[in-house]
Amino acid sequence: MSQRKSDPIFLALVAFETVRTPARIDAVLREEGLPGLEELAVGLDDATTRACRQKAAELADRGIYAVLRGEASYPEMLIHKGKASAPVLFCYGNSKLLEADGVGMCGSRAVSDLGLKAAVACGEEVSSRGLSVISGYAKGVDTATHLAALRVGGSTVIVLAEGFDHFRIKKAFAEDFDRDRVLVVSQFPPTQPWLTHAAMTRNRIIFGLGRALVVVEAGERGGTLAAGEGAIRMGRTVLVLNFGNDTPAGNRILLEKGGFPIPSREALGRILDKRPRDKGPAQLTLPV
């Protein structure tokens, strides 16, 4: 399969090979657009060009494609105050889900039985309203929300904390994974392994793409708490599950910082029913 310089997946690889960091890649795309990356491709040596073309063909053969800032299919919700923290997105699955209305979901890998039950209920509530579930790919809350959506006929967006060379369909998803109803997204170069800081960075896509972020179960430190705090700082609606006396420490912290308490699946459903019908990061209508 031949690759032209203008192919997004080739240009994505060129971007990481030349300017390297997301901030610098974003600056090139913001100021020069795709022609800026094409110009960088012209300056590559022959060996690097061949390597990028070979990798692009390999990824394409696996069904992986790229979406870059400046393309019509790039989700504007990932641009905040003019800057995109993830200007390059490698994708696998249904591309329409990149711009579909959805809700971010996050929580602990070592989730409690109560939290696991709540995660399933939240995934079902979101899906029943035609919204996609957007979450990571860890065990616990991430897996529970994705599978809850798929098992009731909904759709889901899996956001990776590593590059696609490390992606496999996990055993838990084997019977439910449907490419028509799943989109897998990575903002990282294909060869990048899972890293703690990458998982933190990845959360920006989860709450960036979503109409709101639902926090199921957060510890008093860690990625889930950081995701909730980041979403609050960005001005996104953060819905925090409230289990009464059993509310986790991180959930309590987020409630104190501006998260809205959700005591039941019915309460979540009522809020989602009042969402603005136009696509965008507009605040949800919350009860007084």
Side-chain angles (χ1 to χ4, degrees):
M1 179 177 179
S2 64
Q3 294 288 327
R4 304 182 308 276
K5 290 198 295 291
S6 57
D7 287 346
I9 199 164
F10 174 74
L11 293 180
L13 296 171
V14 167
F16 282 112
E17 186 66 35
T18 54
V19 289
R20 299 183 184 278
T21 69
R24 292 177 180 174
I25 294 171
D26 187 52
V28 172
L29 290 171
R30 187 171 65 247
E31 297 167 12
E32 305 175 44
L34 297 182
L37 294 184
E38 292 175 341
E39 187 63 29
L40 291 172
V42 170
L44 289 176
D45 61 76
D46 290 345
T48 303
T49 299
R50 284 195 300 272
C52 287
R53 289 186 186 280
Q54 181 178 352
K55 188 64 177 179
E58 173 195 321
L59 292 169
D61 286 345
R62 292 169 54 194
I64 297 164
Y65 53 96
V67 177
L68 309 180
R69 177 177 181 171
E71 294 188 285
S73 55
Y74 184 85
E76 290 297 315
M77 287 181 70
L78 292 183
I79 298 175
H80 181 63
K81 295 183 178 179
K83 296 181 179 180
S85 59
V88 174
L89 301 173
F90 293 97
C91 303
Y92 174 83
N94 188 343
S95 61
K96 294 180 181 179
L97 296 179
L98 197 58
E99 294 187 284
D101 216 352
V103 173
M105 312 275 284
C106 65
S108 173
R109 286 176 290 178
V111 62
S112 67
D113 290 341
L114 180 60
L116 190 63
K117 181 178 179 180
V120 171
C122 289
E124 291 173 349
E125 287 296 316
V126 168
S127 297
S128 69
R129 286 158 177 82
L131 298 162
S132 291
V133 165
I134 306 164
S135 193
Y137 200 41
K139 64 180 182 179
V141 168
D142 292 357
T143 294
T145 56
H146 288 308
L147 293 180
L150 293 172
R151 288 170 180 173
V152 297
S155 61
T156 194
V157 178
I158 295 171
V159 186
L160 302 178
E162 63 274 332
F164 262 104
D165 284 358
H166 304 276
F167 169 71
R168 301 292 184 275
I169 297 175
K170 294 181 179 180
K171 184 177 180 180
F173 286 79
E175 295 183 5
D176 300 287
F177 195 97
D178 179 352
R179 281 187 60 180
D180 289 335
R181 296 188 291 120
V182 176
L183 174 67
V184 186
V185 178
S186 172
Q187 69 197 91
F188 305 107
T191 57
Q192 181 168 312
W194 190 97
L195 298 167
T196 300
H197 72 80
M200 296 287 194
T201 300
R202 171 275 316 269
N203 288 335
R204 298 176 191 171
I205 294 185
I206 294 174
F207 64 72
L209 283 178
R211 174 75 73 173
L213 178 69
V214 175
V215 177
V216 176
E217 192 170 281
E220 57 185 337
R221 62 179 63 86
T224 301
L225 177 62
E229 291 173 332
I232 289 171
R233 284 194 300 271
M234 190 177 283
R236 296 297 170 88
T237 301
V238 177
L239 306 174
V240 182
L241 298 198
N242 184 347
F243 300 110
N245 292 334
D246 295 319
T247 301
N251 291 41
R252 294 179 186 274
I253 292 170
L254 292 173
L255 289 171
E256 291 173 358
K257 292 188 173 184
F260 188 83
I262 301 296
S264 67
R265 66 184 298 165
E266 291 79 14
L268 174 61
R270 287 193 294 270
I271 289 173
L272 295 177
D273 285 339
K274 295 181 180 179
R275 71 187 184 277
R277 296 300 166 177
D278 57 308
K279 181 69 168 67
Q283 287 276 352
L284 299 184
T285 301
L286 301 175
V288 177

